[in-house]
Amino acid sequence: MKLSTKGRYGVKAMFDLAQHMGEGPTSLKSIAERQGISEHYLEQLVSGLRKAGLVKSVRGAQGGYLLGREPDKIKIGDIIRVLEGPIAPTDCVSEEDPELCSKAEFCVTRAIWEKVRDSIADVLDSITLETMLEDAQKIESERNLYMYYI
Amino acid sequence: MKLSTKGRYGVKAMFDLAQHMGEGPTSLKSIAERQGISEHYLEQLVSGLRKAGLVKSVRGAQGGYLLGREPDKIKIGDIIRVLEGPIAPTDCVSEEDPELCSKAEFCVTRAIWEKVRDSIADVLDSITLETMLEDAQKIESERNLYMYYI
DNA sequence: TTATATCTTATAAAAACACTCGGGATTTGT
DNA sequence: ACAAATCCCGAGTGTTTTTATAAGATATAA
């Protein structure tokens, strides 16, 4: 039940892009440095995100990547699905064409995995890059408040 | 974000044990046959469950396994934790000694994985073998109702 | 035209997964 | 006493997934 580095790195990279919006294209090199990720590896992940329309690329010198749409229109679930595939604790409850077994209709264990799948999807689809930016700002201002009182 | 066969087989096997309570020890062979699982592989899984006290073993001919405690005292989360380890979409939010990074306190992505972890744990800890037995009975009686009206 | 980037494909080490096997210990029934 | 059933334990093995690394092609700004 672990996320692979693809999902983790992907969300980090997308959040990094969100934090640098309005500064022109952000290069993979700078993201990789800030987030401590292999640049070459990141290339592969971003390639998928680009094909899914979650980021736009600008080639050539001073090029890089931009968010594919507004941060409030990019759910964490979108990112995870591109990089890790459909949300599915088991194949028989995959969001995309589940591999139903003959007893699926009456399967009591299957019902559990469905609930797990839905609870994960609910969390991931309730958070957007915009939400994350707001959370980051909140943490930052609380931190300043704390500093003030020292 | 997939469960391995360990978790899936383990829950199936435990539910099988629950369904055969009161019939004396249930052999791995019969569980393996009913659930379509390799018997030798199942041995390994059950070994862990026994060490965790979720099942009791009876050795020798006519031996087998029994539930370690009442079915309403065995949560699916208990089974999953034994077989798959602590619930943790990432290492930094593991239920057991999380590998915190230096920025953990202010990490916005980490907060997401915490929510995912908690939502998974909530589902798995809200379902017991007893619940599953009730669900199975409900499905069975609905099925009989349907048959009656044909 | 040079440096900076993205893009694409290939290769590969390491880890995880899903068994498989062999043999030993324990108990029941004959 | 003995055979059959069953749990118990550790080692080995093939496959897949993960996590990169590398090389080279393409595109663009300065």
Side-chain angles (χ1 to χ4, degrees):
Chain A
M1 288 296 279
K2 282 244 175 63
L3 224 53
S4 75
T5 53
K6 285 180 196 159
R8 287 192 287 125
Y9 292 177
V11 172
K12 276 191 173 191
M14 290 294 285
F15 180 56
D16 191 294
L17 280 181
Q19 287 188 303
H20 292 86
M21 271 173 45
E23 303 173 14
T26 308
S27 73
L28 283 190
K29 192 181 177 187
S30 67
I31 298 179
E33 273 171 12
R34 275 191 297 269
Q35 306 295 335
I37 304 174
S38 147
E39 184 185 346
H40 276 296
Y41 188 41
L42 197 52
E43 253 174 17
Q44 295 176 21
L45 311 186
V46 173
S47 160
L49 295 171
R50 185 177 54 81
K51 282 165 190 160
L54 294 180
V55 300
K56 280 180 290 197
S57 65
V58 179
R59 299 182 72 164
Q62 320 311 322
Y65 291 89
L66 303 163
L67 289 184
R69 43 182 197 262
E70 296 303 303
D72 65 323
K73 295 284 184 296
I74 299 179
K75 298 179 287 189
I76 306 307
D78 299 334
I79 304 168
I80 296 294
R81 287 185 185 91
V82 167
L83 295 173
E84 306 255 349
I87 294 172
T90 67
D91 286 332
C92 70
V93 298
S94 177
E95 286 180 321
E96 275 176 29
D97 44 73
E99 289 176 19
L100 296 171
C101 72
S102 58
K103 305 163 224 153
E105 203 178 342
F106 311 111
C107 183
V108 185
T109 46
R110 184 171 180 275
I112 300 176
W113 313 139
E114 274 183 336
K115 284 186 189 172
V116 171
R117 177 200 61 196
D118 291 343
S119 80
I120 295 173
D122 281 352
V123 171
L124 296 181
D125 289 336
S126 73
I127 305 173
T128 66
L129 291 180
E130 178 70 27
T131 327
M132 289 181 72
L133 288 173
E134 287 162 12
D135 289 350
Q137 201 142 38
K138 209 174 294 175
I139 287 171
E140 186 59 26
S141 67
E142 274 164 19
R143 217 172 144 180
N144 289 339
L145 196 63
Y146 171 72
M147 303 288 267
Y148 180 76
Y149 278 115
I150 285 181
Chain B
M1 288 297 278
K2 281 243 176 61
L3 224 53
S4 74
T5 53
K6 286 178 195 160
R8 288 191 286 125
Y9 292 177
V11 172
K12 275 191 174 192
M14 291 294 284
F15 180 56
D16 192 293
L17 279 181
Q19 287 189 302
H20 292 86
M21 271 174 45
E23 303 173 13
T26 307
S27 72
L28 282 191
K29 193 182 177 188
S30 66
I31 298 179
E33 274 171 11
R34 275 191 296 269
Q35 305 297 334
I37 303 174
S38 147
E39 185 184 344
H40 273 296
Y41 188 41
L42 195 53
E43 252 176 17
Q44 295 178 19
L45 310 187
V46 173
S47 161
L49 294 171
R50 185 177 54 81
K51 282 164 190 161
L54 294 179
V55 300
K56 281 180 292 198
S57 65
V58 180
R59 298 182 71 164
Q62 322 309 323
Y65 291 90
L66 303 163
L67 288 184
R69 44 182 196 263
E70 296 303 302
D72 64 324
K73 295 284 184 295
I74 299 179
K75 297 179 288 189
I76 305 307
D78 299 334
I79 303 168
I80 296 294
R81 286 184 186 91
V82 167
L83 296 172
E84 306 257 348
I87 295 172
T90 67
D91 286 332
C92 69
V93 299
S94 177
E95 285 180 321
E96 276 178 27
D97 45 74
E99 289 176 20
L100 296 170
C101 72
S102 59
K103 304 163 225 152
E105 203 178 342
F106 311 111
C107 183
V108 185
T109 47
R110 183 170 180 276
I112 300 177
W113 313 139
E114 273 183 336
K115 285 186 189 172
V116 171
R117 177 200 62 197
D118 291 343
S119 80
I120 296 172
D122 282 351
V123 171
L124 295 180
D125 288 336
S126 74
I127 305 172
T128 67
L129 291 180
E130 178 70 26
T131 328
M132 289 181 71
L133 288 173
E134 287 162 11
D135 288 349
Q137 201 142 38
K138 208 173 296 177
I139 288 171
E140 186 58 25
S141 67
E142 273 164 19
R143 216 172 144 181
N144 288 340
L145 196 64
Y146 171 73
M147 303 289 267
Y148 180 76
Y149 279 113
I150 285 181

